Amino acid sequence: MMKKLLLVFILFFTFSHSFAEFNDGTVTKFVEFNLASTTNRGIERYNTLYSVEAGFISRWLDGLAGVQGYEDAFDCTIATVAWFPFTSWQFETAQISLGAGALYHFERYKDISSEHDILFDSTFRYQNARGWSISFRGGYSFKKTKVDALSRYLSYLDTGFPTMGMIIDKVWQNGFELYFEHALHDLYRYPHFACPHYTLGAAVNMDSGLRLGGDVSMRIVDQYTTSPYVDSLIFKMTARMSF
């Protein structure tokens, strides 16, 4: 499995990451490795998830490629965001940008199902020189699911629903970072509407370009309806190298 992950990582190396920095026109590339552990919640309980992402961050274009896998499932995500010059406002100590993005996600659960997700959205981002970054995004997603047990009778199940999310990130001058995300999907899981997740994390950014961090993520099913419950609780450690 790890050999397959590394192979896909090499093929996708030219894509980028969604955490945008206060960019001065330079191009920043990075690679990131993640190790996550699920708890006794949800269908993916008691599993260790391995993932790797790679990409670059530039002034007018961000992108992303990543893969995740464990014994029973494999995921691949490719995404990009364009920041338009005519919707970007640069101030002395801050920047406001409007952009549009697209994302494709593939997931395979062994002996259960295959899934394709296509997402289009727009993004509002505020950044300042003090290390604050706030992003809001909203759009629409399309899902095609093939269930192995029904494949003889039905090729794909087609659904579509709105998607949205918010990220608040703060980096101090000493390199310490705190971030919070509330969204209807994460990088590798795209449930149906009304199943948002909450992520709270911290990291240390070193002068060498190395970033070490960790976070906890909780997904709540049917939060906006009548019977919400915690479906997923995941602890993750990350190591990212930027250059």
Side-chain angles (χ1 to χ4, degrees):
M1 175 61 71
M2 290 305 298
K3 291 182 178 179
K4 293 181 180 180
L5 292 178
L6 289 174
L7 175 60
V8 176
F9 155 71
I10 293 172
L11 292 176
F12 289 158
F13 181 74
T14 57
F15 293 86
S16 92
H17 193 274
S18 59
F19 272 59
E21 300 175 356
F22 194 72
N23 195 278
D24 58 1
T26 61
V27 177
T28 301
K29 297 180 180 180
F30 77 92
V31 291
E32 179 171 306
F33 297 91
N34 308 288
L35 177 65
S37 177
T38 62
T39 60
N40 61 344
R41 298 280 185 173
I43 63 173
E44 294 181 310
R45 61 186 66 185
Y46 303 123
N47 278 295
T48 300
L49 312 178
Y50 303 92
S51 61
V52 58
E53 294 89 46
F56 66 87
I57 301 166
S58 64
R59 183 163 187 172
W60 305 121
L61 183 68
D62 297 341
L64 170 67
V67 291
Q68 176 178 267
Y70 67 100
E71 183 180 359
D72 296 325
F74 173 80
D75 292 85
C76 169
T77 300
I78 302 173
T80 186
V81 178
W83 305 99
F84 306 118
F86 52 87
T87 57
S88 179
W89 296 272
Q90 184 82 45
F91 305 99
E92 183 176 352
T93 60
Q95 178 177 314
I96 296 175
S97 301
L98 298 178
L103 180 148
Y104 169 74
H105 165 253
F106 170 77
E107 179 178 68
R108 173 61 184 169
Y109 272 108
K110 185 173 64 176
D111 300 326
I112 298 178
S113 65
S114 299
E115 178 181 291
H116 301 268
D117 295 287
I118 300 175
L119 185 152
F120 301 97
D121 64 8
S122 59
T123 302
F124 168 86
R125 184 179 69 189
Y126 167 83
Q127 298 170 289
N128 64 32
R130 299 177 59 186
W132 282 100
S133 176
I134 303 174
S135 298
F136 299 93
R137 65 182 187 272
Y140 203 81
S141 62
F142 303 88
K143 182 185 294 288
K144 295 179 68 71
T145 305
K146 183 177 182 179
V147 181
D148 293 0
L150 302 177
S151 60
R152 294 180 56 186
Y153 312 100
L154 182 64
S155 57
Y156 282 98
L157 300 172
D158 295 318
T159 55
F161 41 87
T163 182
M164 56 187 176
M166 172 189 69
I167 298 176
I168 302 174
D169 187 85
K170 165 65 174 176
V171 182
W172 281 265
Q173 290 185 351
N174 61 4
F176 182 70
E177 178 181 357
L178 285 176
Y179 56 92
F180 171 77
E181 180 179 26
H182 170 48
L184 294 181
H185 67 84
D186 57 31
L187 191 57
Y188 298 110
R189 294 294 175 264
Y190 296 80
H192 287 272
F193 189 77
C195 302
H197 80 272
Y198 297 83
T199 299
L200 180 63
V204 176
N205 296 271
M206 304 178 187
D207 293 338
S208 62
L210 179 64
R211 177 183 182 272
L212 301 176
D215 59 54
V216 57
S217 178
M218 177 177 63
R219 185 177 304 281
I220 301 179
V221 172
D222 295 332
Q223 177 180 346
Y224 308 132
T225 55
T226 57
S227 302
Y229 63 94
V230 177
D231 174 69
S232 174
L233 187 63
I234 300 176
F235 299 92
K236 184 173 70 173
M237 297 182 295
T238 70
R240 183 196 307 169
M241 188 65 191
S242 299
F243 50 94

